């Protein structure tokens, strides 16, 4: 089955691992000079993006799914995601499965090179994938658990042998897991990759100051270089919502993410605004192993205690949709039967709490890394349903350790943006070792349903219903409280052409800056 694909998802997580030390800075030597707006080679100017800087420029140790946006500037993966999120050729021009689904062969484009000039051939791909799946500190290794051997059978042929049928591999390898790193670079100084990436993406990083700015130039040896019109690229940390419009007007950025609260101001300032649907969904992570959610009735009561529509109106200024599941409408995994599954019903929530032995309500701590806004609105809603809630604010930098490593919190506000394959998203959210399943519990029938998703070919007519059935089962048996979708809202100067409206990773093919 060649080029089998299903819509995957990116992931936004400020997670485990080896983020750079606070205040550390690294400056890279510029190979061929710094980026220059308006350079004649591409003629597309320099884009200044107010977005986010990666936790690490090494995809194997990057600790946030959100990093995929920045990493995609300097790395290419074996596949990539089209505008709708389906896996399509990238470094690999084609792929095919054997009859059992336990072996997938990727055919590379000929003549590929890394930004350091070394060849990107089948041997390099093997070494890069093996590093990701075997390094003891790798954060992508769990996603490659079904891969038992990677073999370079020719200069441009790579074979992945699997422990079981898994048709999600092409989707999985479209993200950080499939980004190919130069073996010459990690063989010489692997630690340096955290600040000095060596890949084969559309741009090359020329200088980097942590928490301040990354400067990149166009990579003429990129496999799809003809589609990249920008000559330079600069990435900055997420702008302050209160100053982002002024920063765009001043030229500090010419593209930036803005909250819904700033859309009107951006338009009034003469900026162009694009609202791009994304896979991001706001969620409450529930630890079903901790009181009071070790009682299923209390966990179910929480689902009915939240007024999702009011949250969209207030927190998102109307940008987004109510959601009670991890996948948005239009995505193959979205289960229509689960729409509006948990309508706001504080009376029903109180009844469930009474049945659980809490007729006078229950005490609860809501942990968050958001200083204001969402926690207070949730606190007020939960009070109406009998949850007497105390808000505990923890630093964002410590959230992963506290919530997902120590498993010490019962309830946490978060956002989830899926993973590069649907099965991977299920594993993260609902797997027994799932990062966003701090209670480490999952019913056997859900585990079987997820296994069936991986074992079903993506081009099978049965795949949508198999995936949707798993979604429906998950939202009915797991405690995660999904709230609303979060679109990508980008404001840009009038000199910047329209941005591709990719649902998963923001891409920049064809974009120019006047």
């Amino acid at each position: 089955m060649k080029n089998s694909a299903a819509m995957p998802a990116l992931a936004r997580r400020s997670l485990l691992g080896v983020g750079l030390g606070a205040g550390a800075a690294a400056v890279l030597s510029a190979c061929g000079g710094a980026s220059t707006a308006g350079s004649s080679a591409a003629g597309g100017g320099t884009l200044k993006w107010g977005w986010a800087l990666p936790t690490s420029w090494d995809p194997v140790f990057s600790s946030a799914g959100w990093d995929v946006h920045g990493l995609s500037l300097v790395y290419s993966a074996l596949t990539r995601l089209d505008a709708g999120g389906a896996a399509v050729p990238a470094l690999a021009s084609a792929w095919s499965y054997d009859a059992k689904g336990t072996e997938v062969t990727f055919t590379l484009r000929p003549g590929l090179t890394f930004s350091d000039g070394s060849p990107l051939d089948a041997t390099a791909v093997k070494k890069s994938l093996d590093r990701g799946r075997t390094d003891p500190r790798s954060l992508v290794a769990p996603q490659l658990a079904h891969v038992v051997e990677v073999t370079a059978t020719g200069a441009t042929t790579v074979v992945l042998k699997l422990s079981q049928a898994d048709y999600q591999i092409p989707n999985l390898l479209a993200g950080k897991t499939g980004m190919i790193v130069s073996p010459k670079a990690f063989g010489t100084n692997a630690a340096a990759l955290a600040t000095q990436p060596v890949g084969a993406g559309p741009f090359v990083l020329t200088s980097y100051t942590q928490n301040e700015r990354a400067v990149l130039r166009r990579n003429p040896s990129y496999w799809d270089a003809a589609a990249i019109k920008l000559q330079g690229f600069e990435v900055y940390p997420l702008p302050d919502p209160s100053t982002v419009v002024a920063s765009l007007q001043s030229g500090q950025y010419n593209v930036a993410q803005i909250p819904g609260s700033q859309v009107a101001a951006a338009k009034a300032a003469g900026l162009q605004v694009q609202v791009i649907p994304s896979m991001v969904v706001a969620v409450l992570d529930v630890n079903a192993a901790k009181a009071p959610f070790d009682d299923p009735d209390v966990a179910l009561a929480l689902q009915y205690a939240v007024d999702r529509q009011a949250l969209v109106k207030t927190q998102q200024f109307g940008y987004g949709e109510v959601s009670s599941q991890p996948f948005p409408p239009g995505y193959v995994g979205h289960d229509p039967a689960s729409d509006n599954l948990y309508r706001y019903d504080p009376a029903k929530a109180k009844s469930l709490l009474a049945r659980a032995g809490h007729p006078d309500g229950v005490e609860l701590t809501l942990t968050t890394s958001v200083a204001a806004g969402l926690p207070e609105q949730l606190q007020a809603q939960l009070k109406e349903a009998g949850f007497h809630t105390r808000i505990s604010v923890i630093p964002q930098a410590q959230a992963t350790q506290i919530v997902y490593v120590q498993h010490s919190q019962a309830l946490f506000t978060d956002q989830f943006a899926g993973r590069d394959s649907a099965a991977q998203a299920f594993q993260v959210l609902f797997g027994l070792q799932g990062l966003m399943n701090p209670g480490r519990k999952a019913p056997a029938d859900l585990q079987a349903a997820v296994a069936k998703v991986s074992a079903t070919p993506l081009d099978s007519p049965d795949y949508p219903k198999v995936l949707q059935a798993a979604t429906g089962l998950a939202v009915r048996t797991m405690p995660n409280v999904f709230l609303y979708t979060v679109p990508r809202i980008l404001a840009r100067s009038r000199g910047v052409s329209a941005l591709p409206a990719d649902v998963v990773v923001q891409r920049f093919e064809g974009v120019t800056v006047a």
Side-chain angles (χ1 to χ4, degrees):
M1 301 171 197
K2 292 187 180 291
N3 300 0
S4 298
M7 178 186 280
L10 77 95
R12 179 184 183 180
R13 299 271 341 116
S14 295
L15 300 180
L16 309 167
V18 293
L20 302 175
V27 179
L28 309 184
S29 59
C31 302
S35 58
T36 304
S39 174
S40 60
T46 295
L47 190 140
K48 301 178 180 179
W49 194 21
W51 179 257
L53 290 167
T55 57
S56 171
W57 288 95
D58 186 341
V60 170
F61 303 119
S62 153
S63 60
W66 201 247
D67 288 350
V68 72
H69 295 277
L71 294 175
S72 292
L73 298 173
V74 294
Y75 291 102
S76 286
L78 287 178
T79 60
R80 65 173 175 173
L81 310 179
D82 66 12
V88 295
L91 294 178
S93 59
W95 56 87
S96 61
Y97 276 90
D98 68 356
K100 295 181 179 180
T102 57
E103 186 173 290
V104 56
T105 300
F106 289 89
T107 301
L108 303 178
R109 301 175 188 275
L112 297 170
T113 60
F114 291 103
S115 59
D116 63 1
S118 59
L120 198 169
D121 54 14
T123 299
V125 170
K126 168 184 165 50
K127 290 180 178 179
S128 182
L129 292 179
D130 280 345
R131 175 176 179 252
R133 71 188 188 89
T134 63
D135 191 294
R137 299 177 299 120
S138 170
L139 297 181
V140 302
Q143 317 314 327
L144 295 167
H146 291 167
V147 179
V148 296
E149 185 180 10
V150 182
T151 306
T153 59
T156 59
T157 306
V158 182
V159 179
L160 276 63
K161 295 183 179 180
L162 312 175
S163 59
Q164 61 187 65
D166 188 346
Y167 293 97
Q168 299 275 317
I169 294 295
N171 298 69
L172 177 67
L173 295 182
K176 290 194 297 180
T177 306
M179 288 180 178
I180 305 304
V181 183
S182 166
K184 178 181 177 182
F186 63 73
T188 302
N189 186 358
L193 287 167
T195 56
Q196 302 175 40
V198 183
F203 298 92
V204 178
L205 187 66
T206 60
S207 69
Y208 173 55
T209 303
Q210 188 190 349
N211 299 325
E212 292 186 15
R213 185 176 70 156
V215 178
L216 307 97
R217 61 170 172 82
R218 181 176 178 270
N219 179 9
S221 64
Y222 174 53
W223 70 268
D224 196 21
I228 304 301
K229 308 303 180 183
L230 294 166
Q231 182 63 18
F233 208 108
E234 298 177 7
V235 186
Y236 295 85
L238 186 67
D240 186 308
S242 65
T243 62
V244 61
V245 172
S247 297
L248 283 160
Q249 288 179 296
S250 71
Q252 180 179 353
Y253 321 114
N254 47 29
V255 176
Q257 176 173 286
I258 64 173
S261 61
Q262 295 298 311
V263 170
K267 291 181 177 179
L271 300 170
Q272 300 290 324
V273 176
Q274 282 185 254
V275 181
I276 301 174
S278 82
M279 299 294 290
V280 180
V281 58
V283 61
L284 296 177
D285 293 330
V286 178
N287 189 334
K290 292 186 70 66
F293 300 115
D294 52 350
D295 188 316
D297 280 337
V298 176
L300 184 58
L302 186 66
Q303 297 278 10
Y304 293 103
V306 179
D307 187 344
R308 294 166 174 81
Q309 189 62 60
L311 294 177
V312 171
K313 180 179 180 180
T314 302
Q315 303 303 320
Q316 295 291 109
F317 285 73
Y319 294 97
E321 301 180 47
V322 167
S323 180
S324 57
Q325 56 183 300
F327 304 127
Y331 172 66
V332 66
H334 179 87
D335 177 33
S338 296
D339 285 336
N340 300 313
L341 179 63
Y342 299 113
R343 293 181 180 274
Y344 180 51
D345 191 340
K348 185 170 185 175
K350 286 183 176 180
S351 175
L352 287 164
L353 289 180
R355 190 169 74 181
H358 305 286
D360 299 321
V362 64
E363 300 292 330
L364 181 66
T365 296
L366 173 62
T367 305
T368 184
S369 58
V370 180
L374 177 62
E376 286 82 3
Q377 188 172 10
L378 284 169
Q379 183 182 47
Q381 292 181 358
L382 295 178
K383 182 178 180 181
E384 293 296 317
F387 289 95
H388 309 299
T389 307
R390 181 182 73 88
I391 296 173
S392 174
V393 181
I394 60 176
Q396 185 174 6
Q398 299 176 17
T400 294
Q401 183 68 25
I402 293 171
V403 178
Y404 300 112
V405 177
Q406 298 175 359
H407 307 152
S408 62
Q409 306 301 306
L411 185 65
F412 181 66
T413 64
D414 204 355
Q415 291 190 351
F416 177 71
R419 287 298 187 270
D420 302 293
S421 78
Q424 184 187 10
F426 281 124
Q427 188 278 327
V428 172
L429 286 168
F430 312 121
L432 293 176
Q433 299 301 318
L435 191 63
M436 297 179 73
N437 180 14
R440 297 296 192 264
K441 295 181 178 181
D445 55 349
L446 177 58
Q447 296 176 55
V450 174
K452 187 176 182 180
V453 169
S454 292
T456 303
L458 300 179
D459 55 2
S460 166
D462 293 330
Y463 181 71
K465 66 181 181 182
V466 168
L467 181 52
Q468 290 164 21
T471 300
L473 184 59
V475 298
R476 287 167 174 79
T477 59
M478 297 298 290
N480 315 59
V481 180
F482 298 97
L483 302 174
Y484 49 83
T485 63
V486 183
R488 192 182 313 137
I489 307 177
L490 298 174
R492 68 180 197 275
S493 304
R494 289 191 176 274
V496 180
S497 63
L499 306 174
D502 292 47
V503 69
V504 182
V505 177
Q506 184 59 54
R507 304 196 65 87
F508 297 93
E509 283 80 3
V511 176
T512 60
V513 177

